[in-house]
Amino acid sequence: METTQSAGGITGNVLFYSTPEPLNRDQHGKLALVHQDKPYAFAAAGTAVPLTVTEFGPAGLSYPIIFAGDERTPLAVMGLNQGENLFIHADGSTEVGVYIPAYVRRYPFVLANDDAQGRMIVCIDRASSLLSEAGETPLFDAKGEPTEYTQNCIKFCDDFEVERRRTDSFVQLLKDNDLFELKTATFTPAGADGQAGEPQVVAEYYGVSEEKLNALPIEKLKEFQASGALAQIYAHLVSLVGWDRLIAITMFRQSQAPAANLN
């Protein structure tokens, strides 16, 4: 994937990217990466983050994996309330052992569609605090060529794009076999007497229907197994127990908030 010399018409999903610019030596030749021990502050308000299908296994150990919108985009749900991330904090730190999606790890680099050129180009978020002329790791060398660091970042973006397209094919497979259904995540509060109260809906989302999956012909299930799709489907289904974890973390932090305000 090449860098570019002109802006063109850039389109695409730019969650977290406030000022995406095509990477080029003329504008960004003096920029360098700012080393931060806690680099993920930009994602602290990311309630749901896009996932690729090959991430379902590790991501499912940390949070629910759902499908959203008409495109049925796979998302890692990282919080219950809008603008809340229970695993990435405002100071850029993360919960110990939590899986960080590749969508987050590629920042501040990203690939975007250049409609004028009819291709994808490498961009950076120019507003990112991770980039500065006073940074430690340059994006370009003295000859104006991308440094090894930049080349590695571009490769990461290229690999991510490959996985994104594989994810599109996986989602299309689920659509073609009519496996999606509308699901709800619920929470049952306990009353003052300790008795269970009325269940409350926490979220509505699309997920794979186990009933529809089990009704598929054995030949189709074997195809799913051979392609690896079946394993990813079950990773998604198992991940849904993570709603209970999100609810428990949210309730615990809410219970701690009044005590913190008194200190």
Side-chain angles (χ1 to χ4, degrees):
M1 191 63 59
E2 297 180 354
T3 58
T4 184
Q5 295 296 322
S6 61
I10 302 171
T11 61
N13 193 330
V14 288
L15 174 67
F16 302 142
Y17 297 80
S18 62
T19 313
E21 296 180 357
L23 178 64
N24 69 83
R25 63 178 63 88
D26 293 337
Q27 291 178 275
H28 310 129
K30 296 182 179 180
L31 283 182
L33 175 72
V34 178
H35 293 182
Q36 296 181 6
D37 293 334
K38 303 172 183 178
Y40 297 123
F42 65 89
T47 305
V49 177
L51 276 182
T52 62
V53 66
T54 51
E55 297 181 276
F56 280 21
L61 298 176
S62 296
Y63 11 70
I65 299 168
I66 67 169
F67 298 85
D70 293 339
E71 299 300 318
R72 303 294 190 264
T73 302
L75 300 173
V77 182
M78 303 180 76
L80 293 183
N81 302 310
Q82 189 65 33
E84 168 192 75
N85 192 316
L86 297 173
F87 303 93
I88 299 178
H89 309 304
D91 65 355
S93 63
T94 65
E95 290 292 309
V96 176
V98 72
Y99 177 78
I100 304 299
Y103 189 99
V104 174
R105 287 183 279 120
R106 70 176 177 172
Y107 185 88
F109 288 80
V110 67
L111 294 185
N113 291 319
D114 184 342
D115 292 338
Q117 300 293 326
R119 61 174 182 171
M120 300 201 76
I121 56 175
V122 180
C123 296
I124 57 171
D125 185 359
R126 186 61 185 84
S128 173
S129 63
L130 294 171
L131 297 174
S132 168
E133 292 187 4
E136 294 84 4
T137 303
L139 301 188
F140 293 91
D141 61 23
K143 296 180 180 180
E145 297 298 324
T147 60
E148 182 180 0
Y149 163 74
T150 301
Q151 292 177 41
N152 288 337
C153 290
I154 293 173
K155 183 180 186 304
F156 189 93
C157 287
D158 285 341
D159 292 343
F160 182 89
E161 179 62 17
V162 171
E163 293 303 322
R164 189 193 64 79
R165 292 176 180 175
R166 181 177 288 124
T167 303
D168 287 346
S169 297
F170 171 76
V171 170
Q172 190 60 50
L173 180 68
L174 301 185
K175 288 181 178 180
D176 290 345
N177 287 275
D178 189 30
L179 292 180
F180 284 114
E181 68 175 357
L182 192 63
K183 294 175 177 279
T184 58
T186 60
F187 163 60
T188 303
D193 57 359
Q195 298 297 312
E198 289 294 322
Q200 301 176 6
V201 175
V202 173
E204 289 188 341
Y205 60 94
Y206 289 103
V208 172
S209 164
E210 290 187 71
E211 181 179 356
K212 291 181 178 180
L213 179 65
N214 293 333
L216 288 177
I218 188 64
E219 295 79 10
K220 180 63 67 174
L221 287 173
K222 287 181 178 179
E223 290 179 15
F224 276 36
Q225 183 179 30
S227 68
L230 192 60
Q232 306 297 4
I233 289 172
Y234 280 119
H236 149 66
L237 290 172
V238 172
S239 80
L240 298 180
V241 301
W243 284 112
D244 291 339
R245 183 185 184 194
L246 294 186
I247 293 168
I249 295 173
T250 300
M251 291 186 62
F252 174 76
R253 293 188 181 177
Q254 289 176 348
S255 70
Q256 297 298 301
N261 292 333
L262 293 176
N263 295 331

Short mmCIF file of all heavy atoms in Angstrom, two decimals, residues 252-263:
data_model
loop_
_atom_site.label_atom_id
_atom_site.label_comp_id
_atom_site.label_asym_id
_atom_site.label_seq_id
_atom_site.Cartn_x
_atom_site.Cartn_y
_atom_site.Cartn_z
N PHE A 252 -20.57 -2.51 39.95
CA PHE A 252 -19.53 -2.33 40.96
C PHE A 252 -19.01 -0.90 40.95
O PHE A 252 -18.85 -0.27 42.00
CB PHE A 252 -18.38 -3.31 40.71
CG PHE A 252 -17.20 -3.10 41.62
CD1 PHE A 252 -17.25 -3.51 42.95
CD2 PHE A 252 -16.06 -2.46 41.16
CE1 PHE A 252 -16.17 -3.30 43.79
CE2 PHE A 252 -14.97 -2.26 41.99
CZ PHE A 252 -15.03 -2.67 43.32
N ARG A 253 -18.75 -0.37 39.77
CA ARG A 253 -18.21 0.99 39.67
C ARG A 253 -19.23 2.02 40.11
O ARG A 253 -18.88 3.04 40.72
CB ARG A 253 -17.72 1.26 38.25
CG ARG A 253 -16.51 0.40 37.90
CD ARG A 253 -15.90 0.78 36.58
NE ARG A 253 -14.77 -0.09 36.28
CZ ARG A 253 -14.07 -0.05 35.15
NH1 ARG A 253 -14.37 0.83 34.22
NH2 ARG A 253 -13.05 -0.87 34.97
N GLN A 254 -20.50 1.76 39.82
CA GLN A 254 -21.54 2.68 40.29
C GLN A 254 -21.64 2.67 41.81
O GLN A 254 -21.86 3.71 42.43
CB GLN A 254 -22.89 2.32 39.67
CG GLN A 254 -22.99 2.62 38.18
CD GLN A 254 -24.29 2.17 37.57
OE1 GLN A 254 -25.07 1.43 38.18
NE2 GLN A 254 -24.56 2.59 36.33
N SER A 255 -21.44 1.49 42.40
CA SER A 255 -21.50 1.39 43.85
C SER A 255 -20.31 2.08 44.51
O SER A 255 -20.40 2.53 45.67
CB SER A 255 -21.54 -0.08 44.29
OG SER A 255 -20.29 -0.72 44.05
N GLN A 256 -19.19 2.17 43.80
CA GLN A 256 -17.99 2.79 44.34
C GLN A 256 -18.00 4.30 44.16
O GLN A 256 -17.31 5.03 44.87
CB GLN A 256 -16.74 2.22 43.65
CG GLN A 256 -16.52 0.74 43.89
CD GLN A 256 -16.31 0.42 45.36
OE1 GLN A 256 -15.41 0.93 46.01
NE2 GLN A 256 -17.17 -0.45 45.90
N ALA A 257 -18.79 4.79 43.20
CA ALA A 257 -18.79 6.21 42.89
C ALA A 257 -19.18 7.10 44.07
O ALA A 257 -18.50 8.09 44.36
CB ALA A 257 -19.70 6.49 41.69
N PRO A 258 -20.26 6.78 44.83
CA PRO A 258 -20.60 7.65 45.96
C PRO A 258 -19.50 7.71 47.00
O PRO A 258 -19.20 8.77 47.54
CB PRO A 258 -21.86 6.97 46.54
CG PRO A 258 -22.44 6.21 45.37
CD PRO A 258 -21.25 5.73 44.60
N ALA A 259 -18.84 6.55 47.25
CA ALA A 259 -17.76 6.53 48.23
C ALA A 259 -16.61 7.40 47.77
O ALA A 259 -15.97 8.10 48.55
CB ALA A 259 -17.29 5.09 48.45
N ALA A 260 -16.33 7.37 46.45
CA ALA A 260 -15.23 8.17 45.92
C ALA A 260 -15.53 9.66 46.06
O ALA A 260 -14.64 10.46 46.31
CB ALA A 260 -14.99 7.81 44.46
N ASN A 261 -16.80 10.04 45.92
CA ASN A 261 -17.17 11.45 46.00
C ASN A 261 -17.06 11.99 47.43
O ASN A 261 -16.94 13.20 47.63
CB ASN A 261 -18.61 11.66 45.50
CG ASN A 261 -18.72 11.40 43.99
OD1 ASN A 261 -17.75 11.56 43.26
ND2 ASN A 261 -19.91 11.02 43.54
N LEU A 262 -17.13 11.08 48.40
CA LEU A 262 -17.03 11.51 49.80
C LEU A 262 -15.60 11.72 50.24
O LEU A 262 -15.34 12.39 51.23
CB LEU A 262 -17.68 10.44 50.70
CG LEU A 262 -19.20 10.27 50.56
CD1 LEU A 262 -19.68 9.13 51.43
CD2 LEU A 262 -19.91 11.57 50.94
N ASN A 263 -14.64 11.17 49.48
CA ASN A 263 -13.23 11.28 49.86
C ASN A 263 -12.64 12.60 49.37
O ASN A 263 -13.09 13.19 48.44
CB ASN A 263 -12.43 10.11 49.29
CG ASN A 263 -12.87 8.79 49.91
OD1 ASN A 263 -13.33 8.76 51.06
ND2 ASN A 263 -12.74 7.70 49.16
#
